[in-house]
Amino acid sequence: DAKTTQPPSMDCAEGRAANLPCNHSTISGNEYVYWYRQIHSQGPQYIIHGLKNNETNEMASLIITEDRKSSTLILPHATLRDTAVYYCIVSNQAGTALIFGKGTTLSVSS
Amino acid sequence: DGGITQSPKYLFRKEGQNVTLSCEQNLNHDAMYWYRQDPGQGLRLIYYSQIVNDFQKGDIAEGYSVSREKKESFPLTVTSAQKNPTAFYLCASSSLGSNQPQHFGDGTRLSIL
């Protein structure tokens, strides 16, 4: 299973874009990149996922490099409620389990 | 509204006692999962099930048991054999397929008295 590497913490000013990086250099061709976030004492919340192309939904955008070895989650206009731990995850070969690392703690301040 | 319901939110266990955590989903998902989270750590897979009456061990199944008698329900029993059960337990479900996101409940926090 491919591993991911994320910075342990990031800060962002309210209203600015938050760009969260993730490295997954050992990703295989059929593995998807997923992003989740977790607010303290709650279950993880699904944000977005992608395979090769960039993706956008109502919450965020996902930019995947052409070689698929890294990706960036973009929250276009961060709010205080976006303060959370963000997990970048690569699906395993069988697509049956998510392998969570320690994620990036994003702190949004006013 | 569709979703995943875990109960109870907080649970206390005495030494040597088995406890069962409930997980129910009304999303019509085939697959269900149990994860454990320790403070400051990511999630680790305990068990998962892709179909009724069938389930597979995850990375840390020792000391736990599950059943899948109904599509909607996937209860987890923490047995007395689990020597360090204090943790945050999360249940998830998804449609089958390698690109189907998992959706999580709000968790059960288990503590030892």
Side-chain angles (χ1 to χ4, degrees), chain B residues 92-106:
Chain B
S93 70
S94 73
S95 298
L96 290 176
S98 60
N99 66 336
Q100 299 301 316
Q102 294 182 18
H103 298 273
F104 287 81
D106 281 336

Side-chain angles (χ1 to χ4, degrees), chain A residues 7-55:
Chain A
S9 63
M10 294 184 65
D11 295 319
C12 181
E14 190 177 20
R16 304 297 294 270
N19 297 290
L20 290 85
C22 180
N23 287 323
H24 31 78
S25 58
T26 60
I27 192 171
S28 63
N30 63 348
E31 289 183 310
Y32 284 75
V33 179
Y34 292 83
W35 282 84
Y36 285 77
R37 70 181 183 185
Q38 186 176 25
I39 297 170
H40 183 62
S41 294
Q42 295 182 19
Q45 177 189 22
Y46 165 76
I47 301 173
I48 198 167
H49 73 286
L51 183 63
K52 295 181 181 179
N53 300 321
N54 298 338
E55 302 287 345

Side-chain angles (χ1 to χ4, degrees), chain B residues 19-77:
Chain B
V19 291
T20 298
L21 284 59
S22 171
C23 178
E24 304 277 335
Q25 55 98 1
N26 60 4
L27 299 169
N28 199 33
H29 285 164
D30 289 297
M32 296 187 74
Y33 313 80
W34 274 105
Y35 292 88
R36 168 181 171 140
Q37 186 174 34
D38 293 288
Q41 304 296 316
L43 280 66
R44 292 182 291 168
L45 182 68
I46 304 173
Y47 269 98
Y48 67 97
S49 168
Q50 293 183 314
I51 193 170
V52 173
N53 293 323
D54 189 42
F55 45 83
Q56 284 75 41
K57 293 182 179 180
D59 300 323
I60 55 166
E62 185 175 353
Y64 300 97
S65 65
V66 294
S67 63
R68 187 88 186 275
E69 297 178 2
K70 299 186 300 180
K71 184 176 182 178
E72 302 79 19
S73 178
F74 192 41
L76 173 74
T77 297

